[in-house]
Amino acid sequence: MTQLVWFRNDLRVADNPALTAACESSEAARACFILTPDQWQEHDWSPARVQFVIAHANALAEELARLGIPLSFIYANRFDDSIEKLQSHCEEHKVTTLHFNEEYGVNERKRDKAVKYRFDELRIAVRKYRDQTVAPVGEILTQQDEPYSVFTPFSRRWRSWIDETHPGLFPVPKARGNAVSPEQIDTIPDAFQDAPEPLVATGESAAHDRLERFLDERGGAYKEKRDFPAIDGTSLISPYLANGVLSGRQCLIAGRQAQGAGGNQEGLGTWITEIAWRDFYINILYHYPRVSMHRAFKPETEALQWNTPGAKFEAWKTGNTGVPIVDAAMRQLNQTGWMHNRLRMVTAMYLTKNLFIDWRLGEAYFMSKLIDGFLASNNGGWQWSASTGTDAAPYFRVFNPVTQSERFDPNGDFIREWVPELARLDRKRIHDPGAKEGVIPKGYPRQIVDLKESRKEAIAKFQELKN
Ligand code: FAD
């Protein structure tokens, strides 16, 4: 008789409620991870993310082997096929209980419902855990028991829930019997996809090292430095969080410990608020499944007639719009699979307001490149930038990318790193080389739209919705 843990978006042994619960039984414990490459492709997973997940699934197999828990890799193509395969696996290993941590995308929920239905028939118990957020998803509600659709009151309630509840971590299970021998450890061959050089080191302990080093050395200065892409001012833990190598609880507790150890309260507090943003968007996905079906949070914005994407969309994707900060950011994304948060906002607003191209196309393109692609946050960020989402940027407040560049990359260092054509320009000209009839360096494009005109047109189109 066996307890089976099905790992999905939670590739870690520490603070994993499904794993801890499965190991509370006296029955043997096993684990599985199902590869669904066609489904990943349908969900626009990037090669960088696929490679990251595979590397971490392999690392997880080794960690679990030390605890005496064998992990099997099951090959399916799509979620639909995975149910059959999971059933055979459970029958082969005489599984009595299946444990997993919940996921909230619409297809993931459909899959899990189908699994529950099938396993009820087979009389295999299914236990689900709410792991993805600090406060269990659905727990942070208004006084009227309604979901929040604005971040600030959500975060206030989130903080008071934490103060009332003192969430802790789920313990790493004790080793059970003998470790699984190295030759019995299942491995996924690495040659799955072409991907950029991995951005961060592989493994749970590497993730914790990065988190702790950030909190010790840079967390206190987060508030002042987080908006400057040329500075190493943010944690870069998003690939780990997006794929469950770290949990939100671990981040919150580590952040609070750093505050308790005398770190700069405000800087660390601002960073903790980012964990609240993540939880906010996961709750939005949970309460409003339409956002994971390409629908706008604000239904009235679905009437917007977006421009046909065409050549301008290609210019945006490849970093050839003639707006240096946009181009630098897109090239960073294309080459590394990551982009700084400030620039995600700038490039998303440029696409949706200045080029007036549908946010859904930008959302899918980001997903197809990001190593930290995470439906809830990516959708939330895109709908915020496009003014179609919860708490969205008001439609009339459109970032001017050149002003943003002057403010957040004042010396042009970030632009120089990613747009070598402009490397020789001084700190004044680099943000907008064609301004005041300046000569644009050879090989660099002229701006593909007029920033002021396109801003005005976008605002007018949003205003029309009101009439
Ligand atoms: P830090 O600043 O160190 O923050 C710590 C953690 O808090 C992050 O790792 C992340 O998990 C969370 N966080 C920070 N900012 C946000 C935010 N605005 N919304 C939700 N969570 C946040 N984040 C993703 O993880 N995956 C995505 O696919 C994604 N797509 C985005 C698309 C757009 C258009 C925008 C505007 C933002 C997007 N974000 C996404 C949020 C944010 O840009 C990244 O989480 C952040 O840049 C990651 O870098 P970091 O780990 O150094 O963050």
Side-chain angles (χ1 to χ4, degrees):
M1 297 301 158
T2 306
Q3 304 274 313
L4 180 69
V5 189
W6 177 13
F7 282 89
R8 301 109 64 94
N9 187 238
D10 52 345
L11 300 173
R12 62 180 188 279
V13 296
D15 191 39
N16 187 322
L19 177 64
T20 303
C23 292
E24 277 161 5
S25 160
S26 55
E27 290 181 1
R30 292 189 65 87
C32 70
F33 177 84
I34 308 181
L35 289 95
T36 51
D38 289 359
Q39 192 78 46
W40 295 344
Q41 207 162 26
E42 217 172 278
H43 289 180
D44 297 314
W45 281 30
S46 68
R49 182 173 184 196
V50 171
Q51 196 183 61
F52 187 88
V53 165
I54 288 175
H56 282 84
N58 282 332
L60 179 68
E62 289 186 16
E63 282 294 322
L64 288 168
R66 278 191 270 281
L67 299 176
I69 301 171
L71 180 140
S72 304
F73 292 116
I74 298 175
Y75 293 79
N77 282 324
R78 307 183 67 261
F79 287 165
D80 293 344
D81 321 318
S82 57
I83 303 167
E84 214 57 57
K85 303 255 170 136
L86 188 62
Q87 177 180 339
S88 314
H89 187 77
C90 288
E91 286 167 351
E92 185 189 340
H93 293 286
K94 301 196 170 33
V95 170
T96 58
T97 313
L98 173 70
H99 302 261
F100 57 79
N101 295 317
E102 289 179 351
E103 293 183 291
Y104 303 110
V106 105
N107 293 332
E108 286 77 359
R109 278 205 245 182
K110 226 190 274 168
R111 171 200 61 194
D112 292 350
K113 222 169 148 185
V115 167
K116 171 89 173 92
Y117 187 77
R118 173 79 63 90
F119 278 39
D120 281 352
E121 287 177 343
L122 298 168
R123 297 185 181 284
I124 297 174
V126 174
R127 304 264 181 272
K128 303 188 279 179
Y129 307 88
R130 289 183 292 170
D131 162 65
Q132 240 179 39
T133 44
V134 174
V137 79
E139 192 87 13
I140 303 293
L141 296 171
T142 65
Q143 285 184 340
Q144 292 73 40
D145 276 349
E146 298 285 341
Y148 285 98
S149 58
V150 177
F151 175 70
T152 306
F154 171 90
S155 72
R156 235 181 272 125
R157 180 71 203 105
W158 184 83
R159 278 178 197 270
S160 53
W161 183 91
I162 290 165
D163 292 336
E164 289 153 18
T165 318
H166 305 292
L169 299 178
F170 292 85
V172 178
K174 289 205 176 71
R176 307 163 69 83
N178 295 330
V180 178
S181 63
E183 57 284 2
Q184 284 176 320
I185 299 177
D186 205 355
T187 315
I188 310 165
D190 205 15
F192 225 76
Q193 294 266 1
D194 281 340
E197 275 293 293
L199 194 65
V200 289
T202 303
E204 239 174 296
S205 64
H208 285 276
D209 280 353
R210 173 169 282 280
L211 173 64
E212 275 153 32
R213 252 186 303 121
F214 167 74
L215 291 171
D216 283 354
E217 295 165 14
R218 295 176 293 124
Y222 180 75
K223 190 166 182 224
E224 294 91 64
K225 298 202 167 159
R226 66 180 170 145
D227 276 318
F228 297 88
I231 298 178
D232 202 9
T234 70
S235 65
L236 224 167
I237 57 161
S238 52
Y240 299 117
L241 264 173
N243 296 296
V245 181
L246 284 177
S247 73
R249 285 178 299 274
Q250 290 171 326
C251 294
L252 169 83
I253 289 170
R256 287 215 154 180
Q257 274 167 355
Q259 281 183 315
N264 178 306
Q265 301 297 305
E266 216 186 340
L268 291 163
T270 305
W271 186 78
I272 289 172
T273 304
E274 304 302 337
I275 306 300
W277 268 108
R278 179 176 182 272
D279 279 17
F280 175 64
Y281 284 138
I282 296 171
N283 273 276
I284 293 294
L285 190 64
Y286 172 75
H287 291 293
Y288 303 95
R290 66 171 182 271
V291 302
S292 94
M293 294 186 283
H294 311 295
R295 304 288 306 280
F297 182 82
K298 285 190 183 145
E300 69 276 16
T301 62
E302 303 226 326
L304 288 165
Q305 298 290 316
W306 302 101
N307 289 337
T308 317
K312 290 196 173 117
F313 186 42
E314 286 309 309
W316 178 82
K317 289 200 284 193
T318 54
N320 285 295
T321 66
V323 180
I325 195 71
V326 170
D327 295 340
M330 294 307 292
R331 294 181 194 187
Q332 179 189 37
L333 174 68
N334 291 333
Q335 287 174 41
T336 69
W338 190 83
M339 192 196 286
H340 188 279
N341 180 58
R342 169 63 44 186
L343 302 183
R344 293 189 204 207
M345 294 190 284
V346 169
T347 52
M349 240 192 223
Y350 177 80
L351 184 77
T352 56
K353 303 290 171 53
N354 297 103
L355 302 186
F356 211 71
I357 289 175
D358 195 337
W359 57 271
R360 296 165 186 87
L361 295 174
E363 180 194 15
Y365 186 73
F366 263 33
M367 204 68 178
S368 76
K369 292 289 169 190
L370 284 171
I371 188 173
D372 65 9
F374 187 63
L375 173 62
S377 309
N378 194 39
N379 184 274
W382 272 95
Q383 295 222 43
W384 180 91
S385 309
S387 309
T388 63
T390 64
D391 221 316
Y395 68 84
F396 46 83
R397 207 169 290 154
V398 180
F399 287 175
N400 177 322
V402 172
T403 316
Q404 290 280 312
S405 181
E406 287 163 349
R407 198 160 153 210
F408 297 113
D409 187 26
N411 295 323
D413 295 337
F414 182 80
I415 296 173
R416 268 184 214 101
E417 184 180 350
W418 294 101
V419 189
E421 304 94 293
L422 304 180
R424 287 159 171 259
L425 297 189
D426 65 32
R427 64 194 292 272
K428 284 220 160 102
R429 279 196 59 219
I430 196 160
H431 305 285
D432 187 3
K436 300 192 182 132
E437 312 205 340
V439 179
I440 298 173
K442 215 169 154 212
Y444 189 70
R446 195 162 283 286
Q447 286 190 17
I448 57 171
V449 288
D450 180 276
L451 294 177
K452 283 195 181 128
E453 279 306 310
S454 54
R455 172 181 177 276
K456 255 197 257 164
E457 284 167 25
I459 292 175
K461 285 180 185 155
F462 272 90
Q463 260 157 356
E464 274 168 32
L465 288 179
K466 298 194 162 235
N467 302 333

